[in-house]
Amino acid sequence: MLLLGIDIGTSSIKVSVVDADTKACIVSAQYPENQENTILSVIPGWAEQSPDMWWEQTKLAIRKLTSHGTFKPQDITAIGVAYQMHGLVVVDKNGDALRNSIIWCDSRAVEIGETAFERIGQQHALEHLLNSPGNFTASKWAWVKANEPDVYRQAHQIMLPGDYIALKLTGTATTSISALSEGVFWDFRTNSLSTDVMQYFGFDQTIFPEIRPLFSEHGTLRKDIAQQLGLQPGIPVSYKAGDQPNNALSLNVLQPGEVAATAGTSGVIYAVSDELVYDRASRINTFAHVNYTVEKPRTGVLLCINGTGILNRWVKDHFGHGVDYRQMNTIGKAVSPGSNGLKILPFGNGAERILHNKILGARFIDLDFNAHGRSHVFRASQEGIAYAFRYGLDIIRENGMNPSIIRAGQANLFLSELFAEIFVDITRVPVELYENDGSVGAALGAGIGSGAFNSPQEAFSQLKALKTIEPQTSDYYEDLYQEWKQLLDDQLAQELKNP
């Protein structure tokens, strides 16, 4: 029995086939392979991608996978979908996208969300939504309503990126409590769509697809699509989840107190709780985890930093000519901690939630043309990213969660020994690294949803840590971090003073 996982990322689409008996990945493919998808930003602070680009690339990636010859495509029995969170996809009655998706790092709706936060009542919103509407999906849909009346009028349904791909695969539109919570449409106190949000923005509840359990059938593969992809028609899409809940699932982070991290385009720490946790300033955000139920709540407390891997890629593009990421890490590691005084604030990818939804921009501080070269930039960028993680982790700690260990996949920035060591030394929390992949997690999620596994524990029974990284240095990085934090606090105070 084989399972297919699809991961709709910002940079690319990745797909994997997993053997349900061994829980092992047989083969993976991605599209595009040697480049990263563009984020469209026609106005600073905006960020869009085409849903049809995701769909075409999904089909191309699956065809590449099925042509590999290492498995029989007809043996695939279930499909799971993971996706970049918070994106708004608007479709007409035919299920076709009416505009580009306004994706996770888009900042155009921040003011709309902040006004809604005030009008609904901050404390009331936090107690019921566990978040400010911020620049999440609800606020993005309100922006469309205010600025694109033709699109709003033609809209039949709105959904998240993974819902759209599942719709294209099956012809069936569904959503889940987890998905609605990440859009800030869900009231955790009434366990229903938020009356406050719907009434304040003037939304009609019919705009949402049918709500189904996350681990359940979300439609079956259309015959015409199955023929295009070389798969068996009627295969269920039995799992859909945002990329960060899915990353936590793939690391078997399901119980209160367990914590996952990832450092891809954005950086995330994701802590599971059995309480309805919220930060009074909504600097971190709480959503329904993949195993959330009304009877047994499991929430995911999410710290997000927009400018992580995207900064590392920008540095490579502009300073790393002739070297790959591995060489960059080696060159950076030759520089002493502190990068000879060069400091980087990595906040150059839209409004940052941990910074009160301010667009601070990235900054190179104390750059000396006579003292610094690209080796210092390579190290300082990874230090700046790790410092931002520490800054956010301290907010999580303020809210009563103190992780004793963090699980992460050995992927993206955690492939860098330099970054992993800095991360552990500055957070003072050990990191367990696993062979982990979002598309593999989605495939295993499909197995849980289709009944191929009796429980998540069975699905991840073969999961073993590759290695554990323990903190090494004592106070040296703490002093460097405090210097960096003071610079950030000064910049942020200026922004808050002059909004």
Side-chain angles (χ1 to χ4, degrees):
M1 185 186 302
L2 302 181
L3 307 165
L4 172 63
I6 303 168
D7 186 11
I8 311 301
T10 308
S11 301
S12 65
I13 310 299
K14 189 167 184 182
V15 293
S16 293
V17 170
V18 170
D19 185 319
D21 293 328
T22 65
K23 288 82 174 177
C25 178
I26 296 173
V27 63
S28 297
Q30 74 178 53
Y31 195 94
E33 190 167 1
N34 297 313
Q35 63 185 50
E36 297 181 357
N37 284 327
T38 300
I39 296 175
L40 305 173
S41 185
V42 296
I43 293 176
W46 289 23
E48 299 185 356
Q49 287 185 326
S50 166
D52 293 324
M53 175 189 75
W54 299 332
W55 174 230
E56 290 305 314
Q57 291 185 354
T58 296
K59 290 188 289 185
L60 288 165
I62 293 173
R63 287 179 189 140
K64 184 177 177 182
L65 196 72
T66 55
S67 66
H68 200 270
T70 55
F71 68 97
K72 293 180 181 179
Q74 299 296 307
D75 290 342
I76 292 174
T77 61
I79 301 171
V81 181
Y83 57 88
Q84 48 173 291
M85 297 173 73
H86 314 305
L88 171 69
V89 181
V90 187
V91 303
D92 62 17
K93 290 182 178 180
N94 297 318
D96 295 325
L98 288 169
R99 68 174 327 282
N100 283 337
S101 173
I102 304 175
I103 67 170
W104 58 276
C105 55
D106 188 284
S107 304
R108 76 188 70 184
V110 167
E111 187 175 344
I112 291 172
E114 289 180 345
T115 301
F117 193 35
E118 295 291 334
R119 298 285 174 82
I120 291 172
Q122 291 189 12
Q123 188 61 33
H124 183 83
L126 290 172
E127 288 178 355
H128 287 258
L129 306 172
L130 308 185
N131 303 287
S132 161
N135 62 332
F136 293 113
T137 318
S139 300
K140 293 167 183 173
W141 182 225
W143 183 93
V144 171
K145 180 183 180 183
N147 293 277
E148 297 179 349
D150 289 343
V151 172
Y152 190 83
R153 186 174 58 255
Q154 294 176 63
H156 175 61
Q157 289 178 322
I158 62 171
M159 56 191 63
L160 293 161
D163 299 328
Y164 182 74
I165 297 304
L167 170 63
K168 287 298 183 182
L169 289 166
T170 67
T172 302
T174 71
T175 190
S176 67
I177 291 175
S178 181
L180 290 168
S181 75
E182 73 173 79
V184 192
F185 293 110
W186 191 254
D187 188 319
F188 283 87
R189 301 294 176 179
T190 64
N191 282 300
S192 63
L193 281 168
S194 169
T195 302
D196 297 311
V197 170
M198 303 304 285
Q199 289 183 350
Y200 174 77
F201 286 127
F203 297 157
D204 191 325
Q205 291 192 15
T206 61
I207 203 71
F208 298 104
E210 178 187 350
I211 303 171
R212 294 188 183 178
L214 189 144
F215 293 107
S216 71
E217 184 187 296
H218 294 273
T220 58
L221 189 62
R222 290 166 40 180
K223 184 176 180 180
D224 58 330
I225 300 301
Q227 289 174 341
Q228 292 179 37
L229 301 178
L231 301 176
Q232 193 81 265
I235 302 169
V237 172
S238 53
Y239 168 82
K240 288 189 300 181
D243 52 7
Q244 298 310 322
N246 179 71
N247 179 64
L249 173 76
S250 69
L251 292 165
N252 197 24
V253 170
L254 294 168
Q255 301 307 320
E258 295 177 339
V259 180
T262 184
T265 303
S266 64
V268 168
I269 294 177
Y270 187 95
V272 178
S273 176
D274 56 2
E275 298 179 4
L276 301 183
V277 178
Y278 58 83
D279 176 62
R280 291 191 176 277
S282 205
R283 297 166 297 173
I284 56 175
N285 304 100
T286 304
F287 309 113
H289 194 25
V290 294
N291 56 343
Y292 176 93
T293 64
V294 173
E295 300 76 24
K296 196 174 182 179
R298 291 290 181 269
T299 56
V301 182
L302 187 152
L303 149 73
C304 181
I305 305 156
N306 293 353
T308 52
I310 194 170
L311 167 61
N312 205 41
R313 184 187 73 184
W314 185 89
V315 166
K316 181 179 181 296
D317 289 346
H318 294 279
F319 294 88
H321 301 297
V323 300
D324 58 23
Y325 285 116
R326 185 183 297 273
Q327 292 168 316
M328 278 176 56
N329 299 334
T330 300
I331 293 168
K333 197 167 184 178
V335 174
S336 299
S339 305
N340 198 19
L342 176 61
K343 305 168 191 69
I344 296 178
L345 302 182
F347 307 112
N349 189 29
E352 294 280 1
R353 295 177 218 158
I354 60 171
L355 305 180
H356 304 274
N357 274 325
K358 295 299 180 183
I359 303 177
L360 201 62
R363 284 168 166 78
F364 283 50
I365 300 169
D366 294 334
L367 176 64
D368 187 323
F369 299 139
N370 299 310
H372 298 130
R374 68 176 186 173
S375 59
H376 300 91
V377 174
F378 292 164
R379 184 176 191 111
S381 62
Q382 296 198 27
E383 287 179 337
I385 294 165
Y387 295 154
F389 269 106
R390 161 65 186 277
Y391 185 89
L393 182 59
D394 284 349
I395 297 173
I396 290 178
R397 288 166 170 152
E398 285 177 31
N399 283 275
M401 287 163 286
N402 293 282
S404 59
I405 197 159
I406 294 174
R407 299 178 196 168
Q410 189 166 261
N412 301 313
L413 270 170
F414 279 107
L415 285 169
S416 166
E417 185 178 285
L418 171 62
F419 173 77
E421 289 174 355
I422 297 169
F423 179 96
V424 167
D425 284 344
I426 194 57
T427 62
R428 310 303 296 166
V429 181
V431 168
E432 288 180 346
L433 290 177
Y434 292 81
E435 187 174 341
N436 139 278
D437 178 271
S439 58
V440 173
L444 292 169
I448 298 168
S450 66
F453 306 121
N454 293 320
S455 66
Q457 289 71 30
E458 181 183 347
F460 297 99
S461 59
Q462 304 300 315
L463 187 68
K464 291 182 175 60
L466 299 174
K467 63 179 176 179
T468 301
I469 304 172
E470 299 280 352
Q472 298 298 319
T473 60
S474 53
D475 295 331
Y476 187 67
Y477 257 122
E478 182 65 24
D479 294 339
L480 292 172
Y481 168 70
Q482 292 300 333
E483 291 176 14
W484 179 93
K485 181 177 179 294
Q486 186 60 57
L487 292 167
L488 173 59
D489 288 344
D490 291 345
Q491 296 284 352
L492 186 57
Q494 191 65 31
E495 283 291 324
L496 293 171
K497 183 180 178 181
N498 302 302

